[in-house]
Amino acid sequence: MKVGIMGGTFDPIHYGHLLAAETAREACGLDEVWFIPAFQPPLKDNEPGAEGPSRLEMVYRAIDFQPHFRALDIELERGGTSYTIDTVEALLEQNPERSFSIIIGSDRINDLPSWHRAKELAELVTFIGVERPGESIEKSRLPDYILDRLQITQMPLIGLSSTDIRRRRAEGSSIRFMVPEKVHSFIKRNGLYES
Ligand code: ATP
């Protein structure tokens, strides 16, 4: 069974994340995509705007009734800095019969060599890259150990980011149709990201 790992802060989850997951699933013949919200992402300085349980709840709401999508709380439960290698090692131990690919946007691909234990990670998984507007993949700057394990997938460019969604909420602007309706209602009901 081939599983795509969609890691992120999901603060909040939006249609860019969902379309990246679906595009990668179809293009790479993945059986499932597992969404794994980070407790504390290693390369982000600021703390997430919403608590882990709220971010996980929004992921559950976004993928509700999608048979190929699952959400895992493994990084939230572990706490501390959420290194992908730790997650992958744990998942492989629990699921030795599965192969894992990490779905990753073009902004993060360029950072891959600086990820914790990047070389070991590249031995355990493959990477599925999706393009993000304004962030082209700089292949010439990536080492062979990553390029050899990287497949780039075309998806309709979605110029959404969680940062922009949080900023819009803080300004009192609408975020309707940027996130699934069940995520939208959860954000509004709980007053998330208000200034
Ligand atoms: P923030 O703005 O808070 O940094 P984000 O929108 O970048 O958040 P993350 O949760 O950090 O979202 O991203 C998780 C993964 O989804 C990353 O691999 C990221 O590159 C990818 N991703 C996020 N938004 C998009 C998008 N609009 N199109 C394609 N990939 C995306």
Side-chain angles (χ1 to χ4, degrees):
M1 190 200 241
K2 289 165 78 175
V3 176
I5 296 176
M6 187 76 203
T9 322
F10 304 121
D11 190 24
I13 189 165
H14 54 69
Y15 278 118
H17 298 128
L18 293 163
L19 192 60
E22 181 65 359
T23 305
R25 185 186 72 76
E26 195 170 44
C28 301
L30 304 174
D31 297 291
E32 290 187 348
V33 176
W34 296 356
F35 288 73
I36 306 184
F39 180 76
Q40 177 60 49
L43 299 175
K44 289 188 182 174
D45 300 333
N46 52 323
E47 288 206 353
E51 299 290 333
S54 295
R55 291 184 284 114
L56 180 65
E57 175 64 26
M58 290 189 277
V59 173
Y60 278 132
R61 284 167 173 259
I63 65 173
D64 205 13
F65 299 119
Q66 299 303 321
H68 305 290
F69 289 175
R70 280 177 61 189
L72 268 63
D73 65 357
I74 175 171
E75 294 190 352
L76 297 175
E77 283 291 311
R78 194 169 69 230
T81 305
S82 305
Y83 294 114
T84 303
I85 182 81
D86 294 339
T87 305
V88 165
E89 284 179 338
L91 291 177
L92 278 169
E93 202 173 302
Q94 293 158 12
N95 306 273
E97 76 293 354
R98 293 191 167 133
S99 68
F100 291 93
S101 301
I102 293 179
I103 303 166
I104 175 170
S106 43
D107 51 325
R108 306 290 151 74
I109 293 175
N110 297 326
D111 289 340
L112 262 177
S114 63
W115 283 24
H116 187 50
R117 294 168 58 201
K119 269 194 183 163
E120 287 162 81
L121 182 63
E123 282 164 19
L124 298 178
V125 297
T126 60
F127 302 100
I128 302 172
V130 293
E131 290 279 0
R132 229 179 142 168
E135 304 274 359
S136 50
I137 298 166
E138 296 175 54
K139 274 189 157 182
S140 61
R141 294 178 57 188
L142 290 173
D144 283 345
Y145 72 83
I146 287 177
L147 286 177
D148 292 346
R149 309 281 282 166
L150 173 65
Q151 175 177 350
I152 295 173
T153 301
Q154 298 303 320
M155 78 171 228
L157 294 182
I158 305 279
L160 287 174
S161 74
S162 301
T163 303
D164 192 41
I165 290 171
R166 294 193 301 275
R167 184 184 51 75
R168 293 181 67 83
R169 282 286 295 161
E171 288 170 1
S173 302
S174 170
I175 60 161
R176 194 181 286 277
F177 306 127
M178 296 181 172
V179 299
E181 186 51 38
K182 283 187 198 166
V183 174
H184 184 244
S185 55
F186 181 85
I187 290 174
K188 293 212 41 152
R189 181 152 24 86
N190 292 286
L192 296 185
Y193 313 118
E194 285 173 353
S195 55

